[in-house]
Amino acid sequence: MPYTTFDNNSQFPDTFRELWPQIRSNLFEGTYAPSPVLRVEIPKPDGSKRPLGIPTVLDRMIQQAIAQVMGLIFDPLFSESSCGFRPGRSAHDGVRLVKQFTCDV
C-alpha cells in the first residue's frame, strides 16, 4: 500500500489517523513495506561526503514503537556488562568498564 508524503510534518497527525486502520492491518498481516529512505550526503571535514538515509516520518514512528516494545522484552536478558545501544548506557561506559576490569586483574 503506498502511503502519502507530507509537505510538512504538521500534516502527519491528521493523515496518520485516517491511514491508521490500513497501516495496523498491514502490520499485523505482515504486508507492511517501509518506503524507500531519502538519500542525502553529509559533508565531512576532510571534504568527502557521508551517505545518510532518512526514513519517512511514518516509518520512523513504526521503527521506534517496535524498538520500545522489544527493548522492554529483551533488555533484561542482556548481560549487566553490555553497554552498546542500551538505554542509559553508552560506548564510553563500556570503555570505562573494560578499564576497570583490566586494572582489577
Side-chain angles (χ1 to χ4, degrees), residues 1-16:
M1 167 183 171
Y3 296 106
T4 187
T5 57
F6 307 99
D7 293 329
N8 61 59
N9 289 342
S10 66
Q11 296 172 320
F12 180 77
D14 292 333
T15 304
F16 176 77

Side-chain angles (χ1 to χ4, degrees), residues 7 11 21 31 39 53 72 76 90 95 104:
D7 293 329
Q11 296 172 320
T31 58
R39 267 293 172 215
L72 292 173
S90 70
V95 170
D104 291 346

